[in-house]
Amino acid sequence: MSFTDAALRFDFSTFYAGSSTNSTIRAIKSSDVGATKVCVPLLTGNQTLQFGSTKVVSDTASNAVPTINGSTISPSGNVNVLFDGNGVGQLALKYPDAGVLRLDAAFQKNDATGSLKLAGSDTVAVIPNAIALQAQGQSVCSGNNDSSYAVCPVYRKAGEPFTLQARAVNTQEQLTPGFATSNKALSWLLLAPVSGNAGSFSPAVVTLAGGVANLAANWSEVGVIRLGVNNFVPYPAYQDELPQLETKLRWSEPVGRFVPADFNLVSGDIAPICNVFSYMGQPFNVSLDVQARNRSGGVTQNYTGAFAKGSAYLSVANNKDGKSLASRLISLSSLPWANGRALFNGATAFSRLSDIQPDGPYKSLLFGLYMNDNDGGNTLIASPDFNDTVVGNCSGTSCNARLIDSVPMQVYFGRLFAGTEAGLASADLAVPLQLQYYEAGNWVLNKLDQCTQFSLAGQGIAFLNSSHSFDAATSSLNLGAGRTIKLGLGSTPPGAMSGTAKDGEILFQFAKPGIAVRIPYKVDLAKQPSSPLWLSDPLTQQGEAIFGSTRGNDRIIYRREILH
């Protein structure tokens, strides 16, 4: 009896799930003819082989089956193979899922020539085409620059958890439930703002079972990102090709837009123009240091440019009486956002109701910072402790602003009262310019005013007699007929070209003219330093200096006749 070695030889290469791979199969036997032992063809023409499949590595969730040359192998099946004259046939393997398969081929024949039994096997790895990532509940977000991405719908706050869904898919974008893996590295790519900070992303790795994973994720920054799983070799122990085939990184669709979790007032100051008070309509200073933060309290540096939309508003009430006066405030200019921080130094003013409708005074104004994100109200002020519509202290959800400055501010409806005084032609005359405020139906001298300035320069005071002319260079008023007098502002004559209020008053000094004369004048507030139109009252801006209207204290001789 003679024996001959015979076998089926085939070798499938690693391929992507959902696609196919090809292999030759050879039916061969050994031959001793000649000096060297060789393999010669054993089968030719159409032959039927039986194939069986076993899942060496696969998640239990998989119920996929392979096909060879169009025949389903579940778990075995007959496959038609056409062998050429060299005993070589062609095999085409398809498998929709991921995993490692063992394929066993067999051929058996019993006829008059004898019995023939051939067998062969191969192990093949089928890997996912990609790991597709998607943020749960993500709306469509697309763009090509910062401006277009900045109008994407708001998805989450910076640092707020969201669910990241991972799916291992084949080339047909179908799930591969047979795939399981652990600790595959995640990457993220900042799409916008382009020159922004990548921030930090959690988690760093993903583990899949049944081809899927749902992860609790968060990103620390503002903007739009993409996510992906780094390249990896799914079955390194079973992939004998070099280099080993990888499941490559695929970026997700844009994830975002992320916005700040809150606005934090680091510090602030309300600075009245004159010590503790300002006049209605008079600008006063506001300084703010505001941060846009994530859920952990970190500054979101990407809150800048097109992504920085937050604006600041002041709320205000007098003595926390619950009556909002915010409508009386001039709006603040835009916040200068840069890298998640706004350092604001600007001005506002508490407006008059009208120039002829005095009200107040308001002697205990407190100001709160109200932030509007201009983005759907997703981002609010942090730790609110103020509400100008709440009587007394607010608490909890009744607060909507943050107290800026704990020192109250006073606001007055003010006016200039230009005085009229009479005196001797032979003596200097001081005419008071008073700063007054309205209270309870009366006008009261504002003794707190140590700040208002007036000047004779720049036609800040006009002289209404057409024959009178003022020379600012010499501080002299020409009364006509070659007669001039010195003018000045200050507490003592002759005064200076400018003067500052003392206890709410500035004295307008007129030198003695030596003749009887009336000098009407009018203060032009628009031409005064700082243009203090907040002191406007058309009925009180005009006054007069009157010289020689009476004999004053000249000596009088009385005569009395005594009759006896």
Side-chain angles (χ1 to χ4, degrees):
M1 181 181 294
S2 63
F3 294 89
T4 303
D5 292 332
L8 295 171
R9 294 285 183 264
F10 59 98
D11 184 10
F12 288 111
S13 59
T14 302
F15 67 104
Y16 289 109
S19 63
S20 63
T21 185
N22 297 318
S23 175
T24 59
I25 183 169
R26 300 179 64 200
I28 56 176
K29 69 177 180 177
S30 61
S31 173
D32 294 331
V33 178
T36 305
K37 204 172 197 178
V38 297
C39 292
V40 297
L42 184 60
L43 297 177
T44 58
N46 284 315
Q47 302 292 338
T48 300
L49 279 66
Q50 187 177 51
F51 276 85
S53 68
T54 305
K55 294 178 181 179
V56 179
V57 178
S58 179
D59 193 279
T60 56
S62 177
N63 56 11
V65 295
T67 62
I68 299 178
N69 291 359
S71 298
T72 301
I73 311 302
S74 178
S76 62
N78 293 327
V79 176
N80 293 323
V81 180
L82 175 62
F83 289 90
D84 62 16
N86 295 318
V88 178
Q90 301 295 324
L91 299 178
L93 170 65
K94 291 183 179 181
Y95 189 57
D97 204 348
V100 178
L101 301 177
R102 175 186 170 90
L103 298 171
D104 294 296
F107 177 82
Q108 187 166 351
K109 181 180 72 170
N110 290 300
D111 57 18
T113 62
S115 297
L116 177 64
K117 185 174 182 179
L118 301 175
S121 66
D122 182 36
T123 300
V124 58
V126 190
I127 68 174
N129 183 56
I131 306 300
L133 300 180
Q134 180 180 4
Q136 188 179 61
Q138 168 70 55
S139 300
V140 174
C141 176
S142 62
N144 50 30
N145 54 35
D146 286 359
S147 296
S148 53
Y149 278 119
V151 297
C152 282
V154 174
Y155 178 57
R156 288 290 189 276
K157 296 177 181 179
E160 180 181 14
F162 65 94
T163 298
L164 179 62
Q165 299 172 320
R167 298 172 67 247
V169 296
N170 63 18
T171 57
Q172 311 300 317
E173 295 302 306
Q174 298 168 332
L175 180 68
T176 56
F179 184 69
T181 190
S182 60
N183 298 326
K184 293 299 178 281
L186 277 169
S187 288
W188 71 99
L189 172 69
L190 180 66
L191 290 179
V194 173
S195 58
N197 189 304
S200 59
F201 184 85
S202 177
V205 297
V206 59
T207 294
L208 289 89
V212 298
N214 289 310
L215 302 89
N218 72 79
W219 185 48
S220 66
E221 264 295 345
V222 163
V224 180
I225 57 174
R226 276 182 172 161
L227 300 164
V229 177
N230 291 354
N231 294 6
F232 66 96
V233 177
Y235 306 109
Y238 295 93
Q239 294 180 229
D240 55 7
E241 72 279 0
L242 290 175
Q244 291 179 307
L245 194 64
E246 294 180 322
T247 297
K248 294 187 179 298
L249 168 69
R250 177 197 286 184
W251 292 114
S252 69
E253 292 299 311
V255 178
R257 179 173 49 99
F258 292 83
V259 297
D262 62 29
F263 295 113
N264 180 46
L265 176 63
V266 179
S267 62
D269 185 42
I270 302 295
I273 292 300
C274 187
N275 299 322
V276 298
F277 85 94
S278 292
Y279 290 109
M280 294 182 190
Q282 180 182 24
F284 58 89
N285 296 323
V286 179
S287 62
L288 302 169
D289 183 355
V290 184
Q291 295 173 335
R293 306 190 306 180
N294 58 31
R295 285 274 293 262
S296 299
V299 176
T300 52
Q301 297 183 34
N302 292 348
Y303 197 70
T304 192
F307 286 87
K309 306 177 183 183
S311 53
Y313 295 88
L314 297 181
S315 57
V316 60
N318 189 49
N319 200 29
K320 293 188 177 181
D321 60 4
K323 299 176 182 178
S324 175
L325 298 169
S327 62
R328 302 279 293 274
L329 295 174
I330 303 299
S331 296
L332 298 176
S333 57
S334 299
L335 292 178
W337 288 108
N339 301 324
R341 188 179 185 186
L343 292 173
F344 176 85
N345 284 287
T348 185
F350 189 97
S351 301
R352 292 178 169 190
L353 292 172
S354 73
D355 286 345
I356 59 174
Q357 189 179 357
D359 70 326
Y362 300 102
K363 295 186 177 181
S364 186
L365 291 181
L366 288 174
F367 294 81
L369 173 64
Y370 175 83
M371 291 296 299
N372 185 350
D373 65 355
N374 299 301
D375 216 1
N378 292 281
T379 309
L380 305 176
I381 191 72
S383 305
D385 58 2
F386 184 78
N387 189 330
D388 59 0
T389 64
V390 172
V391 177
N393 295 325
C394 68
S395 62
T397 57
S398 67
C399 302
N400 63 3
R402 182 79 171 270
L403 186 66
I404 297 174
D405 193 335
S406 60
V407 179
M409 173 176 160
Q410 302 176 33
V411 172
Y412 298 116
F413 189 104
R415 74 175 186 181
L416 165 66
F417 185 85
T420 295
E421 293 290 335
L424 297 174
S426 59
D428 296 340
L429 181 64
V431 178
L433 304 177
Q434 291 191 341
L435 292 313
Q436 301 177 337
Y437 69 88
Y438 178 84
E439 183 171 16
N442 298 306
W443 290 97
V444 182
L445 179 66
N446 185 8
K447 294 185 178 182
L448 291 175
D449 194 335
Q450 314 287 336
C451 307
T452 299
Q453 292 184 331
F454 287 131
S455 174
L456 293 170
Q459 300 179 335
I461 296 180
F463 295 93
L464 304 179
N465 189 322
S466 60
S467 64
H468 297 168
S469 61
F470 179 69
D471 183 1
T474 61
S475 303
S476 299
L477 180 68
N478 189 338
L479 300 176
R483 187 179 295 273
T484 62
I485 61 172
K486 285 283 189 178
L487 302 182
L489 296 172
S491 56
T492 58
M497 283 295 289
S498 63
T500 302
K502 180 180 180 182
D503 298 334
E505 187 174 79
I506 301 174
L507 293 180
F508 192 0
Q509 300 287 351
F510 291 79
K512 59 184 179 181
I515 59 172
V517 64
R518 301 174 73 96
I519 306 175
Y521 68 92
K522 182 178 181 180
V523 179
D524 189 342
L525 294 174
K527 296 179 180 180
Q528 288 293 334
S530 302
S531 300
L533 298 176
W534 48 85
L535 299 173
S536 295
D537 187 336
L539 301 178
T540 63
Q541 289 174 220
Q542 185 173 323
E544 191 170 16
I546 304 170
F547 290 93
S549 62
T550 66
R551 292 185 62 82
N553 62 350
D554 288 357
R555 183 169 54 192
I556 300 174
I557 300 175
Y558 292 92
R559 183 176 65 183
R560 184 174 67 173
E561 294 181 358
I562 301 175
L563 302 175
H564 295 282

